[in-house]
Amino acid sequence: MTRIDDVFRRNDKSLILYTCGGDPDLRTGIDIAGGMEKYSDIIELGIPYSDPLADGPVIQKANNRALSSGIAPDDVFQICSVLKKPVVIMAYYNSVYKYGIEKFCKKAARSNVDGIIVIDLPPEEAVNIKGRLSGMDMVFMVSKNSTESRIKFINEHSSGFIYATAVFGTTGIRDCVDPGLSDFSNRLKALCDKPLALGFGISTPAHVTETFSYGFDAAIVGSALVGRIEQGLNDKHSMLDNIDEFCRYLRSVV
Amino acid sequence: MRQFGEFGGRFVPEVLVKNLEELERAFEKSRNNTSFKIKLNDLLGNYAGRPTPLYFAERLSEFAGSKIFLKREDLLHGGAHKINNTLGQALLASEMGKTRIIAETGAGQHGVATAMACAALGLECEIFMGAEDVVRQKPNVLRMKLCGAKINVVNSGTKKLKDAINEALRDWITNVENTYYMIGSVVGPHPYPTIVKEFQKIIGEETKEQIMKCEERLPDVIVTCVGGGSNAIGIFNEFLGNKEVKLIGVEAGGHGLDTDSHAATLSKGSKGILHGSFSYVLQDGFGNVKDVHSISAGLDYPGVGPEHAFLKDSGRVEYATVTDKEAVEAFKITCKLEGIIPALESSHAIAHALKISKRLGRDSITIVNLSGRGDKDMGIVEGIDNDAD
């Protein structure tokens, strides 16, 4: 049993908080991840990448800030290695491929990383990673338009949990959660035996509550948190306070 | 599942998988369907103006010291080979019941060809174009608007073709149910490189027939420019089996390969993933895509179609580079000697043909794919002349 399995075994409702690793710089990024850790069950750290095509403007800017600070995958692994809670890495495939798939997985596993999500890597292209996971879980994504056979296929290949995307669209802050997600959740539950985490557009404590009410096992919050980094770029202390307050507020509904 | 040796594939977020599978099924059904072919051939003949001439450029040949033929894709409606693909894909989109078309454009030629095909078939059309390209290819922006396209100016990333594709993909992820993404080159996730090849291969089919008719033999060399590489695949495909025909793709050398300002992906890049397929990419040591440069917006792209990566590694096609300066010189020579104004993209191919012609000998035959016309580039060339004055 992995540490991620353990999270879902212990909790009915889990909170996963995302930040782009090393945004806006390594020092601050370490503090932000450390602050988030108090309130999340699993931490999701992004590897900054130049062309994040599944991300909306908020996380695009986060990637750019981290890259401008010179953040490379090793810096993100350094952040992972100081965290105590389970960590999943979110990457675009080219970052993994260029680093060297085997080297990336070994380094991640050595840095206390518990799972990997590669956003532009469907299971059929993931053979090269799956054989080299060094004990880590591999999380695949499922979409509202995924067919029944596709959902089964994704369930078969995922370990740890399945990442369900709540919207058609990129990551970003949204005003409300689609009520149709109840059907989506039922469809997934009928076909999957892995925990289900919902992300993309989950921006407020009310959204988190709704996520659980639809039957998802975890809520993933990213852009709403990353937006607070952008707002606080001029004053690191108040940024960290603001993030702390937001994360605590999210936690209060779990 | 790769289509071109180890290259190709489908590296996309899950939300696009269903659409790509649907597209693949619709394409396989249509490509062999007689009524689809009749409709497309009618549009290619009566709307776009196919077949295009294969012109013996006598004065350019004299200057070069060997026979040069120009495949006149610049004479097509819209002014470039791009219309071959957009008519095919617009018909495909109609058959699939999609009502909204999105496309990216660099030089604006694919955008114009998309806007025209959509107008002709009554489809709603939105074009994504980098802010930098909107400025340097302004005439094409106006043409797209006149044909009813909405222009989405892209301010993310490097504000050029790569980023226009990113934004088009983001739009597609968002409007996945009603939207058809009409990609303009042999790039992107499977099945796009295969679809675009299917609709562009007519260039090579015509060329072979034409050269056999007038010279009664195959050419010695075929030269094309390569950005994403659709005009190149279009003319190469028919000749891949004719090993005696040397095929050369010319990438943008920009300010020179010893600088960072070029877009020579196959010459200087390494294997990686960009825009959903595994190919060559200009990238740093961590896989971040580099900012590239070419005077020609259509070649100003840090990736290249996966089939080109395969053709390079297999040795079947040779890839060369031509600098901005050499391209502009070839542009001017072609204007003066032939009264033909080539696109700056195609001028790269002409420049390389001129470079190699002396050692080929008087009786050798080189075919240059003149993929587009250069009216859109007047401002750029004028700017260079003013700087020189």
PDB file of all heavy atoms in Angstrom, chain A residues 49-53 55 60 94 97-98 120 125 141 145 150 169, chain B residues 2 10-11 14-15 18 162 166 170 173 270 273 278 283 287-289:
ATOM      1  N   TYR A  49       6.900  24.608 -16.953  1.00  0.00           N
ATOM      2  CA  TYR A  49       7.116  24.253 -18.361  1.00  0.00           C
ATOM      3  C   TYR A  49       6.729  25.439 -19.237  1.00  0.00           C
ATOM      4  O   TYR A  49       5.799  26.175 -18.930  1.00  0.00           O
ATOM      5  CB  TYR A  49       6.274  23.002 -18.694  1.00  0.00           C
ATOM      6  CG  TYR A  49       6.337  22.576 -20.134  1.00  0.00           C
ATOM      7  CD1 TYR A  49       7.558  22.291 -20.748  1.00  0.00           C
ATOM      8  CD2 TYR A  49       5.166  22.454 -20.899  1.00  0.00           C
ATOM      9  CE1 TYR A  49       7.602  21.899 -22.072  1.00  0.00           C
ATOM     10  CE2 TYR A  49       5.220  22.055 -22.217  1.00  0.00           C
ATOM     11  CZ  TYR A  49       6.439  21.783 -22.807  1.00  0.00           C
ATOM     12  OH  TYR A  49       6.487  21.402 -24.118  1.00  0.00           O
ATOM     13  N   SER A  50       7.430  25.588 -20.338  1.00  0.00           N
ATOM     14  CA  SER A  50       7.242  26.768 -21.202  1.00  0.00           C
ATOM     15  C   SER A  50       5.899  26.795 -21.922  1.00  0.00           C
ATOM     16  O   SER A  50       5.398  27.862 -22.248  1.00  0.00           O
ATOM     17  CB  SER A  50       8.357  26.817 -22.247  1.00  0.00           C
ATOM     18  OG  SER A  50       8.353  25.622 -23.029  1.00  0.00           O
ATOM     19  N   ASP A  51       5.315  25.644 -22.199  1.00  0.00           N
ATOM     20  CA  ASP A  51       4.109  25.608 -23.027  1.00  0.00           C
ATOM     21  C   ASP A  51       2.993  24.778 -22.390  1.00  0.00           C
ATOM     22  O   ASP A  51       2.580  23.759 -22.935  1.00  0.00           O
ATOM     23  CB  ASP A  51       4.451  25.065 -24.422  1.00  0.00           C
ATOM     24  CG  ASP A  51       5.324  26.035 -25.192  1.00  0.00           C
ATOM     25  OD1 ASP A  51       6.530  26.108 -24.879  1.00  0.00           O
ATOM     26  OD2 ASP A  51       4.793  26.725 -26.073  1.00  0.00           O
ATOM     27  N   PRO A  52       2.482  25.241 -21.235  1.00  0.00           N
ATOM     28  CA  PRO A  52       1.474  24.458 -20.510  1.00  0.00           C
ATOM     29  C   PRO A  52       0.090  24.571 -21.153  1.00  0.00           C
ATOM     30  O   PRO A  52      -0.736  25.376 -20.745  1.00  0.00           O
ATOM     31  CB  PRO A  52       1.494  25.083 -19.115  1.00  0.00           C
ATOM     32  CG  PRO A  52       1.931  26.501 -19.335  1.00  0.00           C
ATOM     33  CD  PRO A  52       2.795  26.517 -20.544  1.00  0.00           C
ATOM     34  N   LEU A  53      -0.170  23.749 -22.165  1.00  0.00           N
ATOM     35  CA  LEU A  53      -1.361  23.992 -22.982  1.00  0.00           C
ATOM     36  C   LEU A  53      -2.673  23.589 -22.331  1.00  0.00           C
ATOM     37  O   LEU A  53      -3.738  23.937 -22.834  1.00  0.00           O
ATOM     38  CB  LEU A  53      -1.201  23.371 -24.374  1.00  0.00           C
ATOM     39  CG  LEU A  53      -1.055  21.868 -24.528  1.00  0.00           C
ATOM     40  CD1 LEU A  53      -2.418  21.199 -24.522  1.00  0.00           C
ATOM     41  CD2 LEU A  53      -0.336  21.569 -25.831  1.00  0.00           C
ATOM     42  N   ASP A  55      -3.285  24.593 -19.287  1.00  0.00           N
ATOM     43  CA  ASP A  55      -3.448  25.562 -18.206  1.00  0.00           C
ATOM     44  C   ASP A  55      -3.975  26.902 -18.696  1.00  0.00           C
ATOM     45  O   ASP A  55      -3.603  27.384 -19.760  1.00  0.00           O
ATOM     46  CB  ASP A  55      -2.110  25.767 -17.488  1.00  0.00           C
ATOM     47  CG  ASP A  55      -1.774  24.594 -16.586  1.00  0.00           C
ATOM     48  OD1 ASP A  55      -2.591  24.298 -15.683  1.00  0.00           O
ATOM     49  OD2 ASP A  55      -0.726  23.954 -16.795  1.00  0.00           O
ATOM     50  N   GLN A  60      -0.457  29.530 -16.203  1.00  0.00           N
ATOM     51  CA  GLN A  60       0.568  29.881 -17.214  1.00  0.00           C
ATOM     52  C   GLN A  60       1.557  30.890 -16.634  1.00  0.00           C
ATOM     53  O   GLN A  60       2.770  30.759 -16.785  1.00  0.00           O
ATOM     54  CB  GLN A  60      -0.079  30.514 -18.451  1.00  0.00           C
ATOM     55  CG  GLN A  60      -0.794  29.547 -19.372  1.00  0.00           C
ATOM     56  CD  GLN A  60      -1.507  30.293 -20.496  1.00  0.00           C
ATOM     57  OE1 GLN A  60      -0.949  31.216 -21.101  1.00  0.00           O
ATOM     58  NE2 GLN A  60      -2.743  29.916 -20.782  1.00  0.00           N
ATOM     59  N   ASN A  94       7.018  16.532 -21.977  1.00  0.00           N
ATOM     60  CA  ASN A  94       8.344  16.881 -22.493  1.00  0.00           C
ATOM     61  C   ASN A  94       9.359  17.134 -21.376  1.00  0.00           C
ATOM     62  O   ASN A  94      10.545  16.881 -21.540  1.00  0.00           O
ATOM     63  CB  ASN A  94       8.276  18.088 -23.430  1.00  0.00           C
ATOM     64  CG  ASN A  94       9.439  18.105 -24.406  1.00  0.00           C
ATOM     65  OD1 ASN A  94       9.851  17.059 -24.926  1.00  0.00           O
ATOM     66  ND2 ASN A  94      10.010  19.283 -24.632  1.00  0.00           N
ATOM     67  N   TYR A  97      10.397  13.616 -20.413  1.00  0.00           N
ATOM     68  CA  TYR A  97      11.146  12.966 -21.494  1.00  0.00           C
ATOM     69  C   TYR A  97      12.558  13.533 -21.606  1.00  0.00           C
ATOM     70  O   TYR A  97      13.538  12.802 -21.705  1.00  0.00           O
ATOM     71  CB  TYR A  97      10.398  13.137 -22.829  1.00  0.00           C
ATOM     72  CG  TYR A  97      11.183  12.561 -23.975  1.00  0.00           C
ATOM     73  CD1 TYR A  97      11.167  11.191 -24.224  1.00  0.00           C
ATOM     74  CD2 TYR A  97      11.990  13.374 -24.770  1.00  0.00           C
ATOM     75  CE1 TYR A  97      11.919  10.642 -25.241  1.00  0.00           C
ATOM     76  CE2 TYR A  97      12.749  12.834 -25.790  1.00  0.00           C
ATOM     77  CZ  TYR A  97      12.708  11.467 -26.021  1.00  0.00           C
ATOM     78  OH  TYR A  97      13.464  10.929 -27.022  1.00  0.00           O
ATOM     79  N   LYS A  98      12.648  14.861 -21.551  1.00  0.00           N
ATOM     80  CA  LYS A  98      13.947  15.496 -21.751  1.00  0.00           C
ATOM     81  C   LYS A  98      14.885  15.229 -20.570  1.00  0.00           C
ATOM     82  O   LYS A  98      16.092  15.109 -20.727  1.00  0.00           O
ATOM     83  CB  LYS A  98      13.745  17.008 -21.969  1.00  0.00           C
ATOM     84  CG  LYS A  98      14.969  17.753 -22.435  1.00  0.00           C
ATOM     85  CD  LYS A  98      15.383  17.340 -23.847  1.00  0.00           C
ATOM     86  CE  LYS A  98      16.658  18.066 -24.248  1.00  0.00           C
ATOM     87  NZ  LYS A  98      17.163  17.571 -25.543  1.00  0.00           N
ATOM     88  N   ASP A 120      -0.360  15.523 -20.389  1.00  0.00           N
ATOM     89  CA  ASP A 120      -0.544  15.282 -21.828  1.00  0.00           C
ATOM     90  C   ASP A 120      -0.076  13.885 -22.219  1.00  0.00           C
ATOM     91  O   ASP A 120       0.366  13.664 -23.339  1.00  0.00           O
ATOM     92  CB  ASP A 120       0.177  16.359 -22.658  1.00  0.00           C
ATOM     93  CG  ASP A 120       1.642  16.507 -22.286  1.00  0.00           C
ATOM     94  OD1 ASP A 120       2.076  15.903 -21.280  1.00  0.00           O
ATOM     95  OD2 ASP A 120       2.367  17.234 -22.996  1.00  0.00           O
ATOM     96  N   GLU A 125       0.248   5.983 -24.255  1.00  0.00           N
ATOM     97  CA  GLU A 125       1.589   6.481 -24.561  1.00  0.00           C
ATOM     98  C   GLU A 125       2.515   6.363 -23.347  1.00  0.00           C
ATOM     99  O   GLU A 125       3.658   6.791 -23.388  1.00  0.00           O
ATOM    100  CB  GLU A 125       1.530   7.956 -24.998  1.00  0.00           C
ATOM    101  CG  GLU A 125       0.743   8.223 -26.272  1.00  0.00           C
ATOM    102  CD  GLU A 125       1.496   7.854 -27.548  1.00  0.00           C
ATOM    103  OE1 GLU A 125       2.596   7.263 -27.454  1.00  0.00           O
ATOM    104  OE2 GLU A 125       0.971   8.137 -28.638  1.00  0.00           O
ATOM    105  N   MET A 141      -5.791  11.022 -16.050  1.00  0.00           N
ATOM    106  CA  MET A 141      -6.927  11.928 -15.990  1.00  0.00           C
ATOM    107  C   MET A 141      -8.091  11.355 -16.779  1.00  0.00           C
ATOM    108  O   MET A 141      -7.911  10.638 -17.751  1.00  0.00           O
ATOM    109  CB  MET A 141      -6.520  13.285 -16.542  1.00  0.00           C
ATOM    110  CG  MET A 141      -5.306  13.820 -15.785  1.00  0.00           C
ATOM    111  SD  MET A 141      -4.782  15.432 -16.328  1.00  0.00           S
ATOM    112  CE  MET A 141      -5.750  16.474 -15.284  1.00  0.00           C
ATOM    113  N   ASN A 145     -16.091  13.795 -21.229  1.00  0.00           N
ATOM    114  CA  ASN A 145     -16.455  13.188 -22.514  1.00  0.00           C
ATOM    115  C   ASN A 145     -15.778  11.826 -22.739  1.00  0.00           C
ATOM    116  O   ASN A 145     -15.879  11.260 -23.827  1.00  0.00           O
ATOM    117  CB  ASN A 145     -16.145  14.140 -23.674  1.00  0.00           C
ATOM    118  CG  ASN A 145     -14.658  14.421 -23.823  1.00  0.00           C
ATOM    119  OD1 ASN A 145     -13.847  13.960 -23.036  1.00  0.00           O
ATOM    120  ND2 ASN A 145     -14.304  15.177 -24.852  1.00  0.00           N
ATOM    121  N   ARG A 150     -13.171   3.871 -22.361  1.00  0.00           N
ATOM    122  CA  ARG A 150     -12.033   4.718 -22.038  1.00  0.00           C
ATOM    123  C   ARG A 150     -11.889   4.855 -20.510  1.00  0.00           C
ATOM    124  O   ARG A 150     -10.791   4.814 -19.976  1.00  0.00           O
ATOM    125  CB  ARG A 150     -12.322   6.067 -22.700  1.00  0.00           C
ATOM    126  CG  ARG A 150     -11.228   7.023 -22.800  1.00  0.00           C
ATOM    127  CD  ARG A 150     -10.278   6.741 -23.940  1.00  0.00           C
ATOM    128  NE  ARG A 150      -9.030   7.370 -23.558  1.00  0.00           N
ATOM    129  CZ  ARG A 150      -7.851   7.050 -24.009  1.00  0.00           C
ATOM    130  NH1 ARG A 150      -7.718   6.094 -24.905  1.00  0.00           N
ATOM    131  NH2 ARG A 150      -6.784   7.665 -23.590  1.00  0.00           N
ATOM    132  N   GLY A 169     -12.200  22.526 -20.555  1.00  0.00           N
ATOM    133  CA  GLY A 169     -11.450  23.770 -20.511  1.00  0.00           C
ATOM    134  C   GLY A 169     -10.134  23.590 -19.801  1.00  0.00           C
ATOM    135  O   GLY A 169      -9.793  22.492 -19.344  1.00  0.00           O
TER     136      GLY A 169
ATOM    137  N   ARG B   2       2.698   4.783 -32.951  1.00  0.00           N
ATOM    138  CA  ARG B   2       3.341   5.889 -33.662  1.00  0.00           C
ATOM    139  C   ARG B   2       3.179   5.659 -35.160  1.00  0.00           C
ATOM    140  O   ARG B   2       3.179   4.519 -35.615  1.00  0.00           O
ATOM    141  CB  ARG B   2       4.811   5.981 -33.299  1.00  0.00           C
ATOM    142  CG  ARG B   2       5.103   6.051 -31.800  1.00  0.00           C
ATOM    143  CD  ARG B   2       4.802   7.401 -31.224  1.00  0.00           C
ATOM    144  NE  ARG B   2       4.805   7.355 -29.774  1.00  0.00           N
ATOM    145  CZ  ARG B   2       5.886   7.441 -29.017  1.00  0.00           C
ATOM    146  NH1 ARG B   2       7.071   7.590 -29.567  1.00  0.00           N
ATOM    147  NH2 ARG B   2       5.802   7.386 -27.703  1.00  0.00           N
ATOM    148  N   ARG B  10       0.114  10.602 -29.962  1.00  0.00           N
ATOM    149  CA  ARG B  10      -1.025  11.428 -29.547  1.00  0.00           C
ATOM    150  C   ARG B  10      -0.802  11.823 -28.102  1.00  0.00           C
ATOM    151  O   ARG B  10      -1.275  11.161 -27.181  1.00  0.00           O
ATOM    152  CB  ARG B  10      -2.290  10.584 -29.719  1.00  0.00           C
ATOM    153  CG  ARG B  10      -3.571  11.304 -29.548  1.00  0.00           C
ATOM    154  CD  ARG B  10      -4.735  10.361 -29.805  1.00  0.00           C
ATOM    155  NE  ARG B  10      -5.049  10.236 -31.218  1.00  0.00           N
ATOM    156  CZ  ARG B  10      -5.858   9.299 -31.721  1.00  0.00           C
ATOM    157  NH1 ARG B  10      -6.407   8.403 -30.942  1.00  0.00           N
ATOM    158  NH2 ARG B  10      -6.108   9.267 -33.021  1.00  0.00           N
ATOM    159  N   PHE B  11      -0.050  12.890 -27.883  1.00  0.00           N
ATOM    160  CA  PHE B  11       0.299  13.335 -26.535  1.00  0.00           C
ATOM    161  C   PHE B  11      -0.584  14.516 -26.170  1.00  0.00           C
ATOM    162  O   PHE B  11      -0.188  15.669 -26.335  1.00  0.00           O
ATOM    163  CB  PHE B  11       1.782  13.688 -26.464  1.00  0.00           C
ATOM    164  CG  PHE B  11       2.674  12.509 -26.746  1.00  0.00           C
ATOM    165  CD1 PHE B  11       3.064  12.203 -28.041  1.00  0.00           C
ATOM    166  CD2 PHE B  11       3.095  11.683 -25.718  1.00  0.00           C
ATOM    167  CE1 PHE B  11       3.865  11.101 -28.301  1.00  0.00           C
ATOM    168  CE2 PHE B  11       3.894  10.581 -25.971  1.00  0.00           C
ATOM    169  CZ  PHE B  11       4.282  10.289 -27.267  1.00  0.00           C
ATOM    170  N   GLU B  14      -6.535  14.183 -21.748  1.00  0.00           N
ATOM    171  CA  GLU B  14      -7.583  13.191 -21.992  1.00  0.00           C
ATOM    172  C   GLU B  14      -8.814  13.782 -22.691  1.00  0.00           C
ATOM    173  O   GLU B  14      -9.438  13.127 -23.527  1.00  0.00           O
ATOM    174  CB  GLU B  14      -7.986  12.562 -20.651  1.00  0.00           C
ATOM    175  CG  GLU B  14      -9.011  11.465 -20.731  1.00  0.00           C
ATOM    176  CD  GLU B  14      -8.577  10.261 -21.573  1.00  0.00           C
ATOM    177  OE1 GLU B  14      -7.370   9.969 -21.623  1.00  0.00           O
ATOM    178  OE2 GLU B  14      -9.461   9.632 -22.178  1.00  0.00           O
ATOM    179  N   VAL B  15      -9.143  15.033 -22.377  1.00  0.00           N
ATOM    180  CA  VAL B  15     -10.365  15.641 -22.921  1.00  0.00           C
ATOM    181  C   VAL B  15     -10.359  15.650 -24.450  1.00  0.00           C
ATOM    182  O   VAL B  15     -11.417  15.639 -25.081  1.00  0.00           O
ATOM    183  CB  VAL B  15     -10.561  17.072 -22.339  1.00  0.00           C
ATOM    184  CG1 VAL B  15      -9.379  17.964 -22.652  1.00  0.00           C
ATOM    185  CG2 VAL B  15     -11.846  17.711 -22.829  1.00  0.00           C
ATOM    186  N   LYS B  18     -11.235  11.803 -27.191  1.00  0.00           N
ATOM    187  CA  LYS B  18     -12.471  11.400 -27.865  1.00  0.00           C
ATOM    188  C   LYS B  18     -12.588  12.108 -29.224  1.00  0.00           C
ATOM    189  O   LYS B  18     -12.936  11.488 -30.228  1.00  0.00           O
ATOM    190  CB  LYS B  18     -13.671  11.741 -26.981  1.00  0.00           C
ATOM    191  CG  LYS B  18     -14.971  11.235 -27.568  1.00  0.00           C
ATOM    192  CD  LYS B  18     -16.152  11.479 -26.637  1.00  0.00           C
ATOM    193  CE  LYS B  18     -17.445  11.116 -27.332  1.00  0.00           C
ATOM    194  NZ  LYS B  18     -18.469  12.157 -27.137  1.00  0.00           N
ATOM    195  N   LYS B 162       3.877  29.181 -32.525  1.00  0.00           N
ATOM    196  CA  LYS B 162       3.810  28.163 -31.468  1.00  0.00           C
ATOM    197  C   LYS B 162       2.702  28.487 -30.463  1.00  0.00           C
ATOM    198  O   LYS B 162       1.934  27.622 -30.054  1.00  0.00           O
ATOM    199  CB  LYS B 162       5.157  28.099 -30.749  1.00  0.00           C
ATOM    200  CG  LYS B 162       5.139  27.338 -29.447  1.00  0.00           C
ATOM    201  CD  LYS B 162       6.441  27.501 -28.682  1.00  0.00           C
ATOM    202  CE  LYS B 162       6.568  28.835 -27.971  1.00  0.00           C
ATOM    203  NZ  LYS B 162       6.506  28.804 -26.522  1.00  0.00           N
ATOM    204  N   ASN B 166      -0.876  26.789 -29.268  1.00  0.00           N
ATOM    205  CA  ASN B 166      -1.255  26.559 -27.855  1.00  0.00           C
ATOM    206  C   ASN B 166      -2.653  27.091 -27.571  1.00  0.00           C
ATOM    207  O   ASN B 166      -3.474  26.422 -26.948  1.00  0.00           O
ATOM    208  CB  ASN B 166      -0.271  27.254 -26.902  1.00  0.00           C
ATOM    209  CG  ASN B 166       1.062  26.525 -26.796  1.00  0.00           C
ATOM    210  OD1 ASN B 166       1.174  25.362 -27.158  1.00  0.00           O
ATOM    211  ND2 ASN B 166       2.067  27.219 -26.296  1.00  0.00           N
ATOM    212  N   ARG B 170      -6.064  25.244 -26.519  1.00  0.00           N
ATOM    213  CA  ARG B 170      -6.800  25.587 -25.287  1.00  0.00           C
ATOM    214  C   ARG B 170      -8.264  25.858 -25.609  1.00  0.00           C
ATOM    215  O   ARG B 170      -9.163  25.483 -24.850  1.00  0.00           O
ATOM    216  CB  ARG B 170      -6.165  26.803 -24.603  1.00  0.00           C
ATOM    217  CG  ARG B 170      -4.842  26.469 -23.925  1.00  0.00           C
ATOM    218  CD  ARG B 170      -4.203  27.700 -23.272  1.00  0.00           C
ATOM    219  NE  ARG B 170      -2.899  27.343 -22.719  1.00  0.00           N
ATOM    220  CZ  ARG B 170      -1.758  27.980 -22.993  1.00  0.00           C
ATOM    221  NH1 ARG B 170      -1.750  29.041 -23.767  1.00  0.00           N
ATOM    222  NH2 ARG B 170      -0.624  27.570 -22.464  1.00  0.00           N
ATOM    223  N   ILE B 173      -9.940  22.503 -26.222  1.00  0.00           N
ATOM    224  CA  ILE B 173     -10.183  21.817 -24.951  1.00  0.00           C
ATOM    225  C   ILE B 173     -11.460  22.363 -24.300  1.00  0.00           C
ATOM    226  O   ILE B 173     -12.216  21.646 -23.668  1.00  0.00           O
ATOM    227  CB  ILE B 173      -8.964  22.010 -24.000  1.00  0.00           C
ATOM    228  CG1 ILE B 173      -7.770  21.187 -24.486  1.00  0.00           C
ATOM    229  CG2 ILE B 173      -9.313  21.649 -22.565  1.00  0.00           C
ATOM    230  CD1 ILE B 173      -6.469  21.485 -23.756  1.00  0.00           C
ATOM    231  N   SER B 270      16.395  18.685 -30.899  1.00  0.00           N
ATOM    232  CA  SER B 270      16.534  17.318 -30.389  1.00  0.00           C
ATOM    233  C   SER B 270      15.140  16.720 -30.226  1.00  0.00           C
ATOM    234  O   SER B 270      14.133  17.435 -30.294  1.00  0.00           O
ATOM    235  CB  SER B 270      17.274  17.340 -29.051  1.00  0.00           C
ATOM    236  OG  SER B 270      16.612  18.206 -28.149  1.00  0.00           O
ATOM    237  N   ILE B 273       8.562  16.416 -27.395  1.00  0.00           N
ATOM    238  CA  ILE B 273       7.122  16.477 -27.658  1.00  0.00           C
ATOM    239  C   ILE B 273       6.699  17.936 -27.722  1.00  0.00           C
ATOM    240  O   ILE B 273       6.978  18.712 -26.816  1.00  0.00           O
ATOM    241  CB  ILE B 273       6.310  15.775 -26.541  1.00  0.00           C
ATOM    242  CG1 ILE B 273       6.639  14.293 -26.515  1.00  0.00           C
ATOM    243  CG2 ILE B 273       4.809  15.938 -26.757  1.00  0.00           C
ATOM    244  CD1 ILE B 273       7.715  13.929 -25.525  1.00  0.00           C
ATOM    245  N   PHE B 278       5.432  13.444 -31.064  1.00  0.00           N
ATOM    246  CA  PHE B 278       6.846  13.229 -30.785  1.00  0.00           C
ATOM    247  C   PHE B 278       7.608  13.479 -32.072  1.00  0.00           C
ATOM    248  O   PHE B 278       7.360  12.837 -33.097  1.00  0.00           O
ATOM    249  CB  PHE B 278       7.048  11.802 -30.287  1.00  0.00           C
ATOM    250  CG  PHE B 278       8.473  11.477 -29.916  1.00  0.00           C
ATOM    251  CD1 PHE B 278       9.092  12.152 -28.879  1.00  0.00           C
ATOM    252  CD2 PHE B 278       9.179  10.509 -30.605  1.00  0.00           C
ATOM    253  CE1 PHE B 278      10.408  11.862 -28.528  1.00  0.00           C
ATOM    254  CE2 PHE B 278      10.494  10.206 -30.265  1.00  0.00           C
ATOM    255  CZ  PHE B 278      11.109  10.896 -29.222  1.00  0.00           C
ATOM    256  N   GLN B 283      14.677  23.131 -28.044  1.00  0.00           N
ATOM    257  CA  GLN B 283      14.347  23.179 -26.616  1.00  0.00           C
ATOM    258  C   GLN B 283      15.618  23.288 -25.790  1.00  0.00           C
ATOM    259  O   GLN B 283      16.711  22.998 -26.261  1.00  0.00           O
ATOM    260  CB  GLN B 283      13.594  21.902 -26.241  1.00  0.00           C
ATOM    261  CG  GLN B 283      14.361  20.623 -26.614  1.00  0.00           C
ATOM    262  CD  GLN B 283      13.544  19.343 -26.399  1.00  0.00           C
ATOM    263  OE1 GLN B 283      12.698  19.291 -25.520  1.00  0.00           O
ATOM    264  NE2 GLN B 283      13.813  18.327 -27.189  1.00  0.00           N
ATOM    265  N   GLY B 287      13.679  20.697 -21.543  1.00  0.00           N
ATOM    266  CA  GLY B 287      12.499  20.468 -22.376  1.00  0.00           C
ATOM    267  C   GLY B 287      11.635  21.696 -22.585  1.00  0.00           C
ATOM    268  O   GLY B 287      10.547  21.602 -23.158  1.00  0.00           O
ATOM    269  N   ASN B 288      12.090  22.850 -22.098  1.00  0.00           N
ATOM    270  CA  ASN B 288      11.326  24.067 -22.362  1.00  0.00           C
ATOM    271  C   ASN B 288      11.618  24.532 -23.788  1.00  0.00           C
ATOM    272  O   ASN B 288      12.768  24.528 -24.230  1.00  0.00           O
ATOM    273  CB  ASN B 288      11.685  25.154 -21.354  1.00  0.00           C
ATOM    274  CG  ASN B 288      11.251  24.752 -19.964  1.00  0.00           C
ATOM    275  OD1 ASN B 288      10.071  24.503 -19.733  1.00  0.00           O
ATOM    276  ND2 ASN B 288      12.206  24.642 -19.045  1.00  0.00           N
ATOM    277  N   VAL B 289      10.545  24.923 -24.478  1.00  0.00           N
ATOM    278  CA  VAL B 289      10.651  25.228 -25.895  1.00  0.00           C
ATOM    279  C   VAL B 289      11.293  26.601 -26.073  1.00  0.00           C
ATOM    280  O   VAL B 289      10.968  27.551 -25.367  1.00  0.00           O
ATOM    281  CB  VAL B 289       9.250  25.182 -26.545  1.00  0.00           C
ATOM    282  CG1 VAL B 289       9.344  25.440 -28.037  1.00  0.00           C
ATOM    283  CG2 VAL B 289       8.607  23.819 -26.281  1.00  0.00           C
TER     284      VAL B 289
END
